[in-house]
Amino acid sequence: MSTTLPPEIPTPTGTPAAVTAIPPDRLDDDAQAADAQTPHDSMGDAADGTDSDWDELDDWDDPPWWASDWAAVLVTSIVAHLIVVLTLALVRLHQPVEEQVALMAAKSENVPDPVNLIDTLQYSDDPEESIGADSLSVSEAATATAIEFAEIAEIPSPVDTPPVDFGQVIASEVFSQPVAPMQRLTNQKGKVGEGTQGAAGAIDRITFEILKSMEERPTLVAWLFDQSGSLHRQRQQIIGRFDRIYEELGIVQENDERFKERKGADVPLLTSIVGFGQTVQLYNEKPSDDLGEIKQIINSINVDSSGVERVFTAVEEAANEFKRFRRNTGDGPARNVIFIVVTDERGDDAERLEQAIGTCRRYAIPVHVIGVPAPFGREHTYVKYVDPDPRFDQSARWAEVDQGPETLLPERVQVGFTGDFQQEPTVDSGFGPYALTRLCYETGGIYFTVHPNRNMNRAVYRGEVDPYASDLRYFFDPDVMSRYRPDYLSPKDYLEFVRQSPLRQALVQAARMKPAQGIDAPRTRFVKRNDAGLVADLTRAQQDAAKLEPTLLMMAQTLMPGMEHRSDETSPRWQAGFDLAMGRVLAQKVRTETYNAMLAKAKRGMAFSDAKNNTWVLKPADEITVGSRWQREAETAKTLLQSVVDNHPKTPWALLASQELSTPIGWQWTEQFTAPDPPRPNRPGNNNPNPRPPRDDQARMLQKAPTRPIPKL
């Protein structure tokens, strides 16, 4: 909106009219005549105080002012000037004004807040370890440290503007939708849940990361190897892959001019080897570029049989060892540093996680982990162990190892389909153990979940599992599981995040309760030989079921407050977790309580529809006939479980929900006929005269290699 100022009106100017004076010659003659007759004082008046003759001449000799010539001139001048002034006032002046176009108009109705200027500054005496949004030095641009970038900003696009007289302003074509820089979307945090079938595939991806680092500046790669015996074969696979890694890197160095220029002063790639178990050992204090030396060092790594893996201690100590390469030399750090951790467990020193993250972030050292998938909602799984020494028994045995869970606190209730939760098939969580995965995520690295028998199309059975691989029955697509990433927060932030939602609080509290056993092979067949015997059998079955009810009831009561906040939860992971937990707990609760109620109904007496039948058989059924309360709970359980299947397909939650739905929740009585037990033959002794063939124990021992105990993995 423009404001047009009124044209300036120039103020008219003119010269005042001249006043006609008495002629000077006349004044002189009169003065001389007067002086001759009358003396004067210094002021021109007569000495006697009377008026002078000059005054008399002024009064009587001059004509009146209106009769003089100069009066006519004065009147004429005044009239002329008045005419000019009136004429100018009636004439409109045209001053050219530049036309202004208003593209946008914003009307502010709020008075802006006053700006408070800073009068004084105070500085803290405590040194800061991180400067400028985690920038390594002032020579490098600081980057944003937001937890996540949104691919599309929440700020709406400009709205259509109304048409104006001078044209239509299309603001949507002037402004574009603000978006986050895509290169920062991939580099801001690390990647998790990168599934591979072997360490070789993970190393190929890591080779690409090393090449990207070498393009920026010379690079040091530190390999941190778990020294446990279960990693022996994997270390050998990695050694066999080293030739290809350095061959590819060498080809790139020879063909890239940037690397050729650096060869004279800096070796583009150096390698260092670190081993960890109960202790941490640096095998080459001076990093090397000799491939033969590197392979020899890896082959000489000793096996640590303690069963302790101090992986986070190793990462922190390695970062302190190689931080000298990350100090600023004027043009930035001397080298990039990359850590590659190879392990098959979660680590036994998770209390050092925060220190390891802080040290690596301070010196901008990404940590990549070639690890194992964490079992879904479990701490332990079983690994197929085959003795690495061929002189001993090579038969497969199963050893329990710590490989999970994938979250900081348990988020899955321990309710099994069978009597023991641990007897359920173990499934892949889609992610690695929480602490190691968060280390990669926070430092910009990648966690590779390596399993040689990964198959996302069908179940994997124990007979198919390779040696030193974990027993996981089902695997899931990483692209699907990316929406269900765990919350990789510090313990303090995670607890605060959980406290913000009653639904999350309820799920975590229920998941931390002791396992709730379901009905493990309940007795369903009752033969009526007499009334007393039938009642006794039914009572014993009731007692077994009654032991399971309190834990299930307590779990249901713990989860119930979250039901009112289901619509408030936006995270698909927490949605799926709560619905599965509540659905399964209600299903197991109704299944157990209605089993007890059906036994109580039979104790009150039931008549066979066919008089020849003598046996009651309890079979699973979808119909609930013993109470409306259980009917409502059963319907709620089915609704929750079905929502998991429909809204979260191809996930562990959908798998468990579909299995729960496949088992009916209620029960129904059926009747059968059971023939009386036939009499048992009287056999006082063994009448078989043929002796067993002799056993050649010594020959059998020669054929079988000795067995030694499974070491602590």
Side-chain angles (χ1 to χ4, degrees), residues 471-547:
D471 180 22
L472 296 177
R473 183 69 57 87
Y474 297 95
F475 295 88
F476 303 93
D477 187 352
D479 293 335
V480 175
M481 294 302 298
S482 62
R483 296 181 57 242
Y484 301 87
R485 188 190 70 194
D487 301 295
Y488 294 117
L489 304 172
S490 65
K492 179 181 178 181
D493 293 338
Y494 179 86
L495 293 177
E496 181 61 28
F497 177 73
V498 171
R499 291 191 190 101
Q500 294 174 0
S501 167
L503 180 145
R504 301 172 199 150
Q505 292 186 50
L507 179 57
V508 170
Q509 290 175 3
R512 300 182 69 180
M513 297 175 63
K514 66 178 183 179
Q517 294 183 356
I519 301 179
D520 184 16
R523 182 175 179 179
T524 58
R525 188 179 183 87
F526 301 89
V527 179
K528 183 179 179 181
R529 295 181 176 87
N530 53 67
D531 292 339
L534 177 62
V535 171
D537 291 343
L538 293 171
T539 301
R540 283 191 293 269
Q542 274 188 299
Q543 292 173 350
D544 294 337
K547 297 177 182 178

Side-chain angles (χ1 to χ4, degrees), residues 429-449:
S429 68
F431 303 92
Y434 166 78
L436 277 173
T437 309
R438 181 164 174 255
L439 176 64
C440 297
Y441 179 75
E442 292 288 351
T443 60
I446 304 173
Y447 188 96
F448 297 92
T449 58

Side-chain angles (χ1 to χ4, degrees), residues 93-112:
L93 298 181
H94 294 276
Q95 182 177 357
V97 179
E98 182 179 358
E99 184 179 3
Q100 298 181 358
V101 178
L103 291 180
M104 292 186 183
K107 182 179 180 181
S108 177
E109 298 180 355
N110 299 326
V111 179

Side-chain angles (χ1 to χ4, degrees), residues 222 224 276 311 315 339-343 367-371 436 439:
L224 288 74
F276 64 89
V311 57
V315 170
F339 287 171
I340 304 173
V341 179
V342 183
T343 182
V367 181
H368 305 284
V369 175
I370 302 175
L436 277 173
L439 176 64

